[in-house]
């Protein structure tokens, strides 16, 4: 439909919740970031020039575009080293930690 949806994402305890967002390739979505932690957090997608600081106790909106295929990682630039990352998943790729990064179609052992 091409319409822009909105999803609320919490930023706390050095994590994003939800940490995985699913959409269709090229879909735009507004993310309403809420920071209830005691420190400043950030939402960054370098490929899309998105870089938004969110002060403690505040909220902010960012607009993202799902990748044309596969996955795109977003981070808190201040706390990525502490595991504060998430993923945009485009298409039918699952949101599991072992999301299909093997698109080579090669043989798989079961």
């Amino acid at each position: 439909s091409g319409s822009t949806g909105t999803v609320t994402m919490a930023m706390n305890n050095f994590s994003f919740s939800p940490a995985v967002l699913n959409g269709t390739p090229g879909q735009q979505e507004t993310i309403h970031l809420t920071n209830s932690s005691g420190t400043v957090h950030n939402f960054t997608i370098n490929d899309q020039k998105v870089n938004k600081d969110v002060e403690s106790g505040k909220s902010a909106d960012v607009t993202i575009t799902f990748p044309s295929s596969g996955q795109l990682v977003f981070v808190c630039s201040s706390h990525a080293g502490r595991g504060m990352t998430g993923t945009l998943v485009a298409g039918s790729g699952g949101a599991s930690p072992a999301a299909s990064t093997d698109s080579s179609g090669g043989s798989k052992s079961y």
Side-chain angles (χ1 to χ4, degrees):
S1 65
S3 64
T4 302
T6 301
V7 62
T8 297
M9 179 177 290
M11 310 166 89
N12 53 36
N13 298 325
F14 304 105
S15 67
F16 293 104
S17 180
V20 176
L21 297 178
N22 292 287
T24 57
Q27 173 189 343
Q28 283 198 322
E29 185 136 62
T30 298
I31 302 174
H32 182 69
L33 302 163
T34 61
N35 181 355
S36 59
S37 71
T39 188
V40 174
H41 288 302
N42 168 280
F43 184 95
T44 297
I45 301 175
N46 287 328
D47 290 354
Q48 297 185 13
K49 295 182 176 38
V50 174
N51 184 348
K52 186 71 156 181
D53 289 336
V54 184
E55 302 277 334
S56 174
K58 305 280 187 186
S59 60
D61 290 343
V62 294
T63 300
I64 57 89
T65 303
F66 283 88
S68 57
S69 67
Q71 302 181 2
L72 186 61
V73 172
F74 57 87
V75 301
C76 171
S77 60
S78 304
H79 302 111
R82 294 182 71 167
M84 192 166 180
T85 65
T87 310
L88 303 177
V89 180
S92 59
S96 67
S100 55
T101 53
D102 176 21
S103 57
S104 64
S107 62
K108 296 180 180 179
S109 55
Y110 292 101

